[in-house]
Amino acid sequence: MYTVAAPKPHSRLPAIVLCYLTYVLRFGSALVGKLHGSVELPCVHHNLPGPIEEITVYWQLRKLPKDLVVAAVMNGVVDTTYVDYLFRGRAHLNPDGLQAGNFNLNLTNLLLNDSGTYTCIILWSPSYISIINNTTVELEVTAEFSTPVVDIPSPGNLLYGQELTLTCTSQGGLEQPRIMWINISDGSELQDGHVQQVVHQDEDVINVTSTITLNVTSNIYILCVILTKNGNLTSQHYKMELPQKETSHVLTVTVITGGLVGVLLTAILVVTLRHTRHTPSYEAPTNQMSELGRS
């Protein structure tokens, strides 16, 4: 335990803490946070040697040319006097947990520049300053691409022989990925059409767009895949089917109509033949024939 005579004005405490950081650092666990997300950095000391009013806590981020104060507790309450402007409104300590020695740091709306080494220094200063605990946490802020989305025309607009252009977009990554168009039917990569990829820089992240142009000669079953070092991101499966040709409908109707007419004519012919067979023939009586012979 290191001790030093306690200065009367608390305004000197940050400088004193910085002087001792080189000697008392103890590296702890590493945390990963997502860009624009939130993360909690642990710092708990349950057995405080005195009342919370005698405890001073500093969370600091090691940066060049100087370290930054992220959060602080002074005289038993959360104090933002020394907090760097980069963390104002984004770094929070829970006031209800201070008495129990819970000094966990909550960071919100994470930025890429928040990555680094954070140190929680707990000091007890009844009549002198004692560094009773320190916790060091490595934080890495990462950004991941969003799930790719394919912009497709409505199914009713798909025509045989047309040139169809599809667009796949994904935002928010750090490194340029590879984009693939996959034929769902057989799992092959589509390369026959014209493929173009565009990268847009948006502050600290990049957005990517890929377009593919296909000559429509059959139904299309397709998806878009973003390949990154942290894994692959896959779009939904998109299915576009050609409408049935109008001539096929006409042919079908013609065949059906012709068949019905043929059946009807056959029925009429059968009925006619049956009627003819059952019609009795007329024969003159014998006596009448004799009388006709005399005359």
Side-chain angles (χ1 to χ4, degrees), residues 133-145:
N133 189 26
N134 72 87
T135 301
T136 300
V137 181
E138 290 291 332
L139 174 64
E140 179 185 2
V141 179
T142 63
E144 297 180 359
F145 282 100

Side-chain angles (χ1 to χ4, degrees), residues 75 98 131 153 156 224 245 288:
N75 300 321
L98 301 182
I131 300 178
C224 176
K245 295 182 180 180
Q288 291 183 4

Side-chain angles (χ1 to χ4, degrees), residues 45-79:
H45 189 82
H46 293 298
N47 300 318
L48 296 178
I52 189 63
E53 290 76 16
E54 297 179 351
I55 301 298
T56 300
V57 179
Y58 282 99
W59 271 101
Q60 294 178 322
L61 171 60
R62 305 202 70 180
K63 288 284 186 180
L64 295 176
K66 66 176 183 178
D67 294 346
L68 306 178
V69 176
V70 181
V73 174
M74 298 183 65
N75 300 321
V77 296
V78 177
D79 192 330

Side-chain angles (χ1 to χ4, degrees), residues 122-193:
I122 304 176
L123 303 101
W124 180 40
S125 54
S127 57
Y128 57 88
I129 297 177
S130 299
I131 300 178
I132 60 174
N133 189 26
N134 72 87
T135 301
T136 300
V137 181
E138 290 291 332
L139 174 64
E140 179 185 2
V141 179
T142 63
E144 297 180 359
F145 282 100
S146 62
T147 301
V149 176
V150 177
D151 182 22
I152 63 174
S154 59
N157 294 336
L158 195 63
L159 298 175
Y160 184 88
Q162 77 175 98
E163 282 195 346
L164 178 67
T165 299
L166 305 178
T167 303
C168 177
T169 58
S170 181
Q171 299 85 28
L174 296 180
E175 298 180 1
Q176 181 174 339
R178 184 187 174 205
I179 303 179
M180 297 176 59
W181 293 91
I182 302 297
N183 182 352
I184 303 175
S185 301
D186 57 12
S188 62
E189 181 178 1
L190 292 174
Q191 298 176 332
D192 295 338

